[in-house]
Amino acid sequence: MRYPMEMIVSDLACARGGVPVLEGVSFTLAAGQALLLRGPNGIGKTTLLRTLAGLQPALAGQVSVPPETMAYAAHADGLKATLTVTENLQFWARIFGQRGIDRALEDFNLTDLAGRAAQNLSAGQKRRLGLARLLVTGRPIWVLDEPTVSLDVASVALFGAAVRRHLDGGGAALIATHIDLGFPAGQLDVTPFRAQPRGLDHFDEAFA
């Protein structure tokens, strides 16, 4: 599937709990590209991803593509415990108006688990199933927050291969991660975009 698109983020500012954490964030993500977000824990990577995905409003700035072009995956796997692997994927495929889950089962090594209830999966298997949902969304931009949590080395390789196929098909991926995922990607350190504390100028003046 081909997705002609380019995501342009300009001077984006975002907040956590009403407190600005990042400002002036600007980058471009073209079709076929992956961009890895770097920076220390707590810097605001999750907040940035949630803002881009439309889960919270931006304080300022522009994003050139709507949230409807993005598939967001965070720490929660988004599974219904009593449904089987197949039923979970079919549920999400219907939500996104898509058909077919065979590729998702195969790419994440879930075929042999297709009839097992999600509640009976290991942590790593649940994570693979949660990531397999990306393949049934039909959305061109994958926005991923630490997607390899709970995955062993073999499963990280499966994930990396799935991302590469998505990129080869003209998709794009924006991923917050601390590890090497095994495919070519740009890097964006968000540390320089840390929001400046408000009101310090007046505080300094009072004690000048």
Side-chain angles (χ1 to χ4, degrees):
M1 184 179 295
R2 288 284 171 181
Y3 309 104
M5 51 71 63
E6 184 177 58
M7 179 183 188
I8 302 173
V9 176
S10 304
D11 294 322
L12 194 71
C14 50
R16 180 173 55 236
V19 178
V21 292
L22 295 173
E23 57 188 5
V25 179
S26 300
F27 64 87
T28 298
L29 181 63
Q33 292 183 340
L35 183 64
L36 307 183
L37 294 185
R38 305 295 197 187
N41 290 335
I43 192 67
K45 297 186 297 294
T46 293
T47 302
L48 174 59
L49 294 179
R50 287 178 53 83
T51 302
L52 292 171
L55 299 177
Q56 62 183 65
L59 296 179
Q62 299 291 326
V63 181
S64 66
V65 294
E68 291 76 19
T69 63
M70 305 178 207
Y72 176 72
H75 301 151
D77 294 319
L79 307 178
K80 292 186 175 293
T82 58
L83 296 185
T84 66
V85 168
T86 292
E87 290 167 340
N88 267 283
L89 289 175
Q90 289 174 335
F91 169 81
W92 284 108
R94 287 194 297 270
I95 290 292
F96 288 97
Q98 302 294 310
R99 292 184 177 182
I101 64 168
D102 289 346
R103 180 186 162 199
L105 290 170
E106 294 170 4
D107 284 3
F108 283 90
N109 196 23
L110 294 167
T111 303
D112 291 343
L113 302 172
R116 185 177 300 183
Q119 63 190 359
N120 296 326
L121 300 175
S122 69
Q125 290 166 343
K126 288 178 181 177
R127 190 59 174 166
R128 295 204 322 263
L129 177 55
L131 292 171
R133 292 182 301 141
L134 295 167
L135 301 183
V136 302
T137 65
R139 294 194 169 182
I141 305 172
W142 291 358
V143 178
L144 312 177
D145 191 4
E146 297 292 348
T148 58
V149 172
S150 299
L151 295 183
D152 59 19
V153 173
S155 296
V156 170
L158 289 176
F159 168 72
V163 174
R164 285 195 299 271
R165 282 188 287 271
H166 181 63
L167 301 179
D168 290 343
L174 180 64
I175 308 172
T177 183
H178 295 284
I179 70 171
D180 180 6
L181 297 174
F183 52 80
Q187 297 195 31
L188 176 66
D189 185 349
V190 300
T191 305
F193 302 109
R194 187 197 300 266
Q196 296 301 309
R198 299 295 187 260
L200 288 185
D201 290 344
H202 299 295
F203 179 85
D204 291 340
E205 289 169 5
F207 288 88

